[in-house]
Amino acid sequence: MDLTEKQLDSQVMYNGGFIEVLKDTVLLPDGSKSSREYITHPGAVAMLAMLDNGNLVMERQFRYPLHREFIELPAGKIDGGEDILVTAQRELLEETGYVASEWIHLTTAWPCIGYSDERMEYFLARGLKHVGSKLDEGEFLEVFELSLDEAIEWIRLGKITDSKTIVGLFWLEKALNGCWPAP
């Protein structure tokens, strides 16, 4: 069965600083028409930055849409046309003050498939050296260390609820435990 929906028309509902909201008219597989509203996003990277002691570099950050703080992996938006590894290196330095000598692309995930084309590129960063953070203007966060075991427990306890972080931590746990071959 072909499940493809074909775009007939597209209308920009909102064009902001880095997201755009579209409303498309689509032809459904059965021949009827419907509309689809969605957000276009340039994509992002998330880094599983592992210190020599095995702990991960994590962040605590206030997220305005939900009016609360979250525990997260370091992450950031891909600038237009930027290579994803360059983005990961830039964001790790800006947010945490670390540079890494080893970078491994782990996987790609799509966190919001029902309403956005955003993709998340995951990297493992090792061989970390702290050289000083360079936060963007208006960016405030706390950087701290956390063991992978404790991070997984924090997911169970509801202390870590951010989906990009949960996906990255579970992916890393499987790779380090030998359940999945590490790239």
Side-chain angles (χ1 to χ4, degrees), residues 55-68:
N55 286 345
L56 296 168
V57 177
M58 301 290 291
E59 301 176 350
R60 183 175 62 87
Q61 188 170 188
F62 184 85
R63 293 300 192 168
Y64 185 80
L66 294 161
H67 303 289
R68 59 170 279 214

Side-chain angles (χ1 to χ4, degrees), residues 7 10 61 79-80 92-93 95 119 131 148 151 156 164:
Q7 180 188 55
S10 186
Q61 188 170 188
D79 288 341
L92 185 66
L93 175 60
E95 293 190 356
R119 77 181 196 279
V131 297
L148 179 58
R156 188 186 71 76
K164 78 174 171 307

Side-chain angles (χ1 to χ4, degrees), residues 2 45 49 88 90 94 99 117 120 123 126 134 138 142 179 183:
D2 182 7
V45 295
R90 175 179 53 77
E94 286 176 4
V99 294
D117 67 353
M120 184 68 59
F123 286 89
R126 291 190 287 211
K134 301 174 182 179
E142 175 190 0
C179 296

Side-chain angles (χ1 to χ4, degrees), residues 4 15 49 58 71 90 92 140:
T4 306
N15 191 348
M58 301 290 291
I71 304 296
R90 175 179 53 77
L92 185 66
F140 303 92

